[in-house]
Amino acid sequence: MSVATTHDHHHDHHGPPRGWQRWVYSTNHKDIGTMYLFFALFMLFFGGAMAMYIRAELFMPGVQLASPDFYNNMVTDHALVMVFGMVMPAAAGMANWMIPMMIGAPDMALPRLNNLSFWLLPAAAILLMLSIVAPYIFPDGGTPVNTGWTLLPPLSVQNGIGMDFTIFAIHTLGVSSILASINIVTTILNMRAPGMTMMKMPLFVWAWFFTALLLIAVMPVLAGAVTMLLFDRHFGTSFFDAAGGGDPILFQHLFWFFGHPEVYVLLLPSIGVLGLVIPTFARKPLFGYKALVYGMGVLAALGMVVWAHHQYTIGMSLVATNYFMIGTILISIPVGLMLMNFIFTMWRGSMTFETPMLFGIAIILMFSFAGVTGVMLAVVPADMQYHDTMFVVAHFHYALIPGAVFGLYAGVFYWLPKWTGHMYNERLGQIFFWWTTISFNLTFFPQHFSGLAGMPRRIVDYSIQYTEFNMISSIGGFLFGLSHLLFLFIIIQTIRGGAKAPAKPWEGSQIGTPGLEWTLPSPPPFHSFTEAPVIK
Amino acid sequence: MKAPDDDKLRKANLRVAIILGIIAGLALLYSFIYLPKVLSGGVVP
């Protein structure tokens, strides 16, 4: 049981500055969290618009709307925007909002660094947008960035000026992520209220602790790799140029050394949200809290040493191939442990099915499905057949949409009452859940079949035997895209008004998380804790 | 109460941040120096 004292009435003179200065100069974790979340929402629609174009193009065989290079440019930027511009900032927004409140800290450890971490993001987004238009507006702009998000040489060395903008965007995003991660780890280690020991922290805080450590370890490797790419493009080096004694395969290793842990960077915060939502709505304490914490640690560690399972087809030695295969299959152990713990938490609980819980259950079901296709892809001889087909696209969308994005939706609906002080419209929330879940499956389930039948990914055209699967996928995709207008409506409606939310908006709030956020009113005052919370 | 203007806490925060920054710097060097060397003679046949 914990008790906290807040006294916003004592600090009216320290209230938020007015106008634009409140946001541009902000060092307040909640304001910066809000900016992260709105930025992510904007990028969701930006990246989503690219997805709509991709599905429109693939609705029928043949080249329908634009050139193949433009199609591949959209495939590339859809991935970069969704990974770096949407999922990571949304998760960082939740971390900013919730971690200090959960651990009883007055703010993040390094508030000005926090401001910088956020404001680097719009700059990176502008660079990314410029990378799309640059080939058309600069004379001799070259081909658009058509490599896919992996930016593999030699194609990325041959791409036009758009690739330079992409490289600088990745540098900027990387700096932002590293600074934010340093801030989060420092906050968790140094800013916990007295009595809030590490093993008392809510699972979401632990999830972000491992996420931030992963980011600090792997993001610089990507920065290094794209810097080498920049040198190869402009300064005559040949890190990745076989003609100069370099090796394009080296870039693959460097990219996936970052890229595979990045998958866990996207997944872990959502697993953290799940660790709050499931016990709250099952009204039972989390089953196996310590096992979940250790499981996340093992997942993060294993995630760093299995990267080359993305590259089975490059012709590695048998020993290396076996190592990466076995290591990858081992990952199913901590993941299975987590999912089983969530199921055991629900077992004989007094469950209710509000929107966050519906998303929580959907994550367990659909992410497990991605786990099954993941084990299929981990097996080398099978992967030789599946590699670079739509089966892989189906697999990672099942991993990342339920695994990461649905976790963020669950978090948004779980915390909207805390953030805004208003309850969202539960009926609309449930409609949104069913709409997204059904349309998501309609979009990506058929891609397993088109992939197994041999349809390659990242190609604008396809043989006519894949038409039906693609038409179903596109219809599902349009419905999935449309559902997000309802998401936007629910958010705006909740911000503008609605039933007043109490400090503990959910009956099982305090069961769900042992954190201190529920001791604060909804919405919390501008300065959360100005006196020490007492944790008994 | 630990407060953000507490000088001791500020120094402790800075210390942790610098250590983490050094780890990030080492990771950057690792991509330039160590990983290419290992991979060119190790994992890559």
Side-chain angles (χ1 to χ4, degrees), chain A residues 200-222:
Chain A
K200 276 187 189 165
M201 296 192 310
L203 201 70
F204 179 74
V205 184
W206 267 113
W208 249 109
F209 183 71
F210 289 121
T211 304
L213 288 179
L214 270 180
L215 274 169
I216 292 167
V218 300
M219 195 52 113
V221 177
L222 177 70

Side-chain angles (χ1 to χ4, degrees), chain A residues 276 279-281 283-284 414 505-513 518:
Chain A
L276 313 180
T280 298
F281 296 102
R283 292 166 180 78
K284 257 182 72 191
Y414 188 61
W506 313 111
E507 196 184 35
S509 293
Q510 199 72 50
I511 304 170
T513 132
W518 308 119

Side-chain angles (χ1 to χ4, degrees), chain A residues 106 109-110 178 182 185-186 190-191 216-217 220-221 224 227-228 250 253-254 257 315-317 320 324 532, chain B residues 1-4 9-10 12-14 16-17 20-21 23-24 27-28 30-32 35-36 39 43-45:
Chain A
L110 306 150
I178 292 166
I182 288 174
V185 174
T186 312
N190 281 4
M191 303 287 284
I216 292 167
V221 177
T227 306
M228 290 182 220
L250 170 64
H253 280 292
L254 291 173
F257 186 81
M316 284 182 289
S317 69
F324 284 112
Chain B
M1 169 62 185
K2 290 178 173 180
L9 179 65
R10 197 196 300 262
N13 287 344
L14 204 60
V16 175
L20 294 171
I23 293 171
L28 185 67
Y30 174 73
S31 69
F32 269 99
L35 210 54
L39 295 176
V43 176
V44 181

Side-chain angles (χ1 to χ4, degrees), chain A residues 194-515:
Chain A
M196 175 57 79
T197 59
M198 291 289 272
M199 290 316 272
K200 276 187 189 165
M201 296 192 310
L203 201 70
F204 179 74
V205 184
W206 267 113
W208 249 109
F209 183 71
F210 289 121
T211 304
L213 288 179
L214 270 180
L215 274 169
I216 292 167
V218 300
M219 195 52 113
V221 177
L222 177 70
V226 294
T227 306
M228 290 182 220
L229 200 60
L230 192 72
F231 278 39
D232 273 12
R233 285 170 57 80
H234 296 293
F235 304 117
T237 59
S238 32
F239 287 105
F240 310 124
D241 182 4
D247 186 358
I249 298 296
L250 170 64
F251 184 87
Q252 293 196 15
H253 280 292
L254 291 173
F255 180 85
W256 285 114
F257 186 81
F258 149 82
H260 194 68
E262 174 68 14
V263 175
Y264 301 104
V265 165
L266 303 175
L267 293 178
L268 279 172
S270 289
I271 292 175
V273 173
L274 211 55
L276 313 180
V277 166
I278 299 283
T280 298
F281 296 102
R283 292 166 180 78
K284 257 182 72 191
L286 193 59
F287 181 91
Y289 169 84
K290 280 186 184 173
L292 277 162
V293 171
Y294 297 140
M296 286 195 294
V298 170
L299 183 66
L302 273 179
M304 282 195 67
V305 292
V306 294
W307 71 91
H309 62 221
H310 294 267
Q311 315 160 225
Y312 286 148
T313 55
I314 62 171
M316 284 182 289
S317 69
L318 194 61
V319 175
T321 309
N322 280 341
Y323 161 75
F324 284 112
M325 178 169 73
I326 293 164
T328 304
I329 293 171
L330 279 178
I331 284 185
S332 54
I333 296 172
V335 172
L337 176 140
M338 286 177 201
L339 295 178
M340 290 313 290
N341 277 13
F342 292 136
I343 292 168
F344 290 144
T345 304
M346 288 191 280
W347 181 252
R348 292 185 174 171
S350 303
M351 286 165 65
T352 50
F353 299 95
E354 286 86 346
T355 310
M357 183 63 159
L358 288 175
F359 274 113
I361 294 168
I363 292 167
I364 293 172
L365 284 171
M366 294 194 290
F367 185 64
S368 302
F369 195 79
V372 172
T373 55
V375 174
M376 290 168 74
L377 287 162
V379 178
V380 179
D383 182 75
M384 293 287 178
Q385 309 302 315
Y386 308 146
H387 189 84
D388 254 345
T389 67
M390 291 301 280
F391 186 81
V392 180
V393 178
H395 159 72
F396 71 73
H397 279 93
Y398 264 86
L400 291 182
I401 294 182
V405 181
F406 277 19
L408 297 173
Y409 293 154
V412 167
F413 284 103
Y414 188 61
W415 285 316
L416 257 182
K418 176 56 71 184
W419 294 339
T420 63
H422 302 125
M423 299 302 289
Y424 64 87
N425 184 323
E426 185 57 46
R427 191 178 169 78
L428 288 182
Q430 302 224 355
I431 292 171
F432 174 68
F433 166 76
W434 287 108
W435 190 350
T436 47
T437 304
I438 292 169
S439 57
F440 159 76
N441 281 290
L442 202 59
T443 312
F444 293 103
F445 200 69
Q447 294 177 12
H448 291 102
F449 303 114
S450 53
L452 286 176
M455 180 178 163
R457 62 190 285 211
R458 291 178 177 145
I459 292 181
V460 66
D461 194 6
Y462 54 84
S463 301
I464 53 169
Q465 70 264 32
Y466 308 122
T467 308
E468 284 79 10
F469 286 134
N470 275 284
M471 279 186 171
I472 296 168
S473 255
S474 290
I475 291 166
F478 298 143
L479 290 172
F480 189 52
L482 205 59
S483 72
H484 289 78
L485 294 178
L486 178 60
F487 183 55
L488 187 65
F489 176 78
I490 295 169
I491 291 172
I492 293 170
Q493 191 189 42
T494 313
I495 292 170
R496 288 171 63 92
K500 180 116 185 65
K504 294 178 189 174
W506 313 111
E507 196 184 35
S509 293
Q510 199 72 50
I511 304 170
T513 132

